[in-house]
Amino acid sequence: MKLSDYAQHLGISYQTAWRHFKSGKIPYPTQKLPSGTVIVDYVQDSGIAMKGNAAIYARVSSAENKDNLERQAERLTAYAIARGYKVQHVVKETGSGLNDNRKKLEALLKKDDYEILIVEHRDRLCRFGSNYLDVLLSRCGVSLDIVNKVDDKPDDLMTDLVGIITSFAARLYGQRRGKRKTEKIIATLQAADEE
């Protein structure tokens, strides 16, 4: 089949399939015709049959790491193809791992057209509570595939600690501000009742 058909069959973009062809990552025999067309000798009942639908989630903490986000998504796509998964979604998001209100991740978790969720590191999904998320996903019939299970470096742990302290401080000050607003509303209502 043509490279474009192969890409469509796997659910990846043509550009990603082209990069995989150029780097030799396609697990099937390929040939480039004199016309420039790339042919992939893909056989459905070969040893690398599609094993399930996968969703890829890539995340970085800040916009400064946008290049890393693209490379992370490409690595995960190559991993999924090598494992024989059909890629349904590739979601790339910029945001803190401590933020529990990430719109793209939330939208991905609401979809039901995949059985495998692939992330590069456990902390790319969330900094804390990923075991609970794994249990909930398995109840929904989705298995969590973490590619790199290496523990965090000390610098990452320090960054997490600073992030947690910042998060709790912001919530504490927000609660104080909210309490003052509530007291002000009550005082206004009481003054209106007295008139």
Side-chain angles (χ1 to χ4, degrees), residues 19 65-75 92:
R19 281 193 298 271
N65 298 324
K66 188 176 181 184
D67 291 339
N68 185 27
L69 182 63
E70 295 300 323
R71 287 191 303 272
Q72 188 182 140
E74 285 180 20
R75 285 190 303 268
K92 300 176 229 174

Side-chain angles (χ1 to χ4, degrees), residues 72-142:
Q72 188 182 140
E74 285 180 20
R75 285 190 303 268
L76 292 173
T77 302
Y79 171 83
I81 292 169
R83 295 287 308 256
Y85 302 142
K86 180 177 181 183
V87 179
Q88 292 292 103
H89 307 283
V90 177
V91 175
K92 300 176 229 174
E93 191 162 40
T94 302
S96 170
L98 297 171
N99 182 1
D100 63 350
N101 191 21
R102 284 177 269 146
K103 301 293 184 201
K104 291 181 179 181
L105 176 60
E106 189 177 316
L108 178 63
L109 292 174
K110 289 180 180 177
K111 296 182 184 210
D112 61 357
D113 58 348
Y114 62 93
E115 298 86 39
I116 301 122
L117 176 59
I118 303 172
V119 294
E120 190 166 44
H121 296 277
R122 186 172 291 280
D123 69 349
R124 295 297 92 194
L125 188 59
C126 58
R127 288 289 186 179
F128 303 102
S130 59
N131 288 331
Y132 296 120
L133 200 52
D134 191 11
V135 170
L136 289 172
L137 285 170
S138 66
R139 287 197 62 177
C140 297
V142 175

Side-chain angles (χ1 to χ4, degrees), residues 2-8 11-22 26 32 36-40:
K2 287 183 176 179
L3 186 62
S4 57
D5 297 332
Y6 174 74
Q8 184 177 8
I12 61 176
S13 71
Y14 178 78
Q15 290 82 8
T16 300
W18 176 255
R19 281 193 298 271
H20 290 177
F21 167 71
K22 294 296 278 180
I26 296 179
K32 188 172 183 181
T37 303
V38 176
I39 303 295
V40 179

